Amino acid sequence: MNQAMPEAHPGAYRLLEIASDTGPLADEHLLTPALQMPVACLWQAAPGLVVPRTYAARPEFATVQADFAARGCPVHVRQSGGGVVPQGPGILNLSLAQVFAGRPLDHSERLYRHLCALIGDTLATFGIATRAQAVEGSFCDGRYNLAVPSPTRKIAGTAQLWRRIPGHAPDRHVGLVHALILAQGDPAGMTANANALETALGTARRYDADRIATLDRLLPPAQRPGFPAALEARLQETLRTRPSLPTTAPARPRPEP
C-alpha cells in the first residue's frame, strides 16, 4: 500500500517551475510573484561562476568575464550579496521569497534561520546533521552557511536580496533568501575555479577545498548516484508542509523600567 502524502500546509510556499535555460539568476524571477503569495523555486544551472555586484565594480572585471566565458566558464552577476560561488551539475539552488512589513533588518536573521532549518531538517532525514555557522576558508563564507562537523566543512551557502515594493507603504519589502547546496560534485574543482577568478581579478582572497564537502560523499556509496534528485524531492515535500514566515516581525520585549 502506498503511504499517503502529508497534506500541504495552507501557508506554505508555492513552488514555481523554473525553465532549464533560465540560468543561475533564476531566483530573481521570484520577486514579482512574491507580491501575491510566498513562493519558492528549486533548480540547477549550467557550469559557471556567480558573483555579487561588488566584483563587477572592479575595473578589470569585463575583461576577466570575457576571458572566462571563452574558456567555457561564464561569470554571472547577481543582485544579492556574498562572494563568488560555483554553479553546475550536482549543485542545487533553493530560494524563498515573500512580502514583509517593517525594516529588512528586523527580518533578515529570522529569514536566514528559517531557510537553514528547512534544509537542515530535510538533510536530517538522510542522516546528515548540520548547523549554521561560518567556515573560514570556504568560498562565500558567512554566518549562515550550513556545515557538517568532524571536521567542519561547508555544504551550503546563503545570501539575501531585499526590494521595496513600489506604490506601497515604505516599510513593505519583498525578502528573497537563497541557498546554494553542494549535493554532488568535485570540491577541488569548484574551489579551483573560484580561486582562478580571484587571481584573475587581482584579489588576495583564496579558498581551501578542504573547507567544503559535497553531501553525497557523506552517504553510503549505494545512495550516492541518485542523491541530488532524492534531495530535491524531499525539499519539495518540506516546502509543501511548512508555513512561510509571518509578514510582521515579532514584537521586541520592552526593557525593564
Side-chain angles (χ1 to χ4, degrees):
M1 180 180 295
N2 292 332
Q3 185 176 3
M5 293 183 65
E7 290 187 7
H9 193 285
Y13 293 92
R14 179 181 177 186
L15 191 61
L16 302 183
E17 293 289 334
I18 297 295
S20 59
D21 59 351
T22 304
L25 309 181
D27 57 343
E28 294 177 12
H29 293 273
L30 296 181
L31 293 171
T32 297
L35 297 174
Q36 306 300 320
M37 67 189 73
V39 291
C41 62
L42 280 159
W43 82 101
Q44 296 186 53
L49 295 168
V50 183
V51 298
R53 288 175 293 177
T54 52
Y55 279 62
R58 298 185 68 88
E60 59 277 279
F61 180 78
T63 300
V64 170
Q65 185 182 39
D67 179 54
F68 271 64
R71 289 193 251 162
C73 184
V75 181
H76 304 272
V77 181
R78 67 178 185 268
Q79 298 300 305
S80 59
V84 58
V85 297
Q87 286 287 353
I91 295 177
L92 187 59
N93 298 277
L94 168 60
S95 293
L96 314 174
Q98 65 178 100
V99 170
F100 291 96
R103 301 179 306 162
L105 185 62
D106 293 333
H107 299 279
S108 177
E109 185 167 336
R110 191 164 54 110
L111 187 54
Y112 272 130
R113 291 186 181 278
H114 180 60
L115 177 64
C116 288
L118 289 175
I119 300 169
D121 290 350
T122 302
L123 291 176
T125 68
F126 292 94
I128 298 173
T130 60
R131 60 175 293 176
Q133 66 173 92
V135 181
E136 185 177 358
S138 65
F139 49 72
C140 197
D141 189 25
R143 286 193 303 138
Y144 288 101
N145 297 322
L146 272 179
V148 293
S150 304
T152 300
R153 290 159 294 164
K154 172 178 177 171
I155 54 87
T158 60
Q160 284 187 10
L161 171 62
W162 291 84
R163 287 281 174 84
R164 285 269 302 273
I165 303 176
H168 288 73
D171 71 339
R172 303 288 283 189
H173 298 81
V174 172
L176 183 151
V177 65
H178 170 254
L180 179 139
I181 306 169
L182 305 178
Q184 196 174 65
D186 175 20
M190 297 176 192
T191 305
N193 285 341
N195 281 334
L197 180 66
E198 299 286 9
T199 300
L201 291 173
T203 77
R205 289 184 290 267
R206 298 295 181 269
Y207 312 109
D208 183 350
D210 291 336
R211 304 301 287 157
I212 66 171
T214 55
L215 289 161
D216 65 322
R217 300 189 185 191
L218 307 176
L219 297 171
Q223 296 182 28
R224 295 176 185 174
F227 175 69
L231 175 59
E232 182 170 359
R234 291 199 195 176
L235 283 168
Q236 290 175 351
E237 187 60 33
T238 300
L239 290 167
R240 284 184 68 253
T241 56
R242 297 288 186 88
S244 56
L245 288 175
T247 300
T248 56
R252 296 186 178 184
R254 295 182 178 182
E256 294 289 335

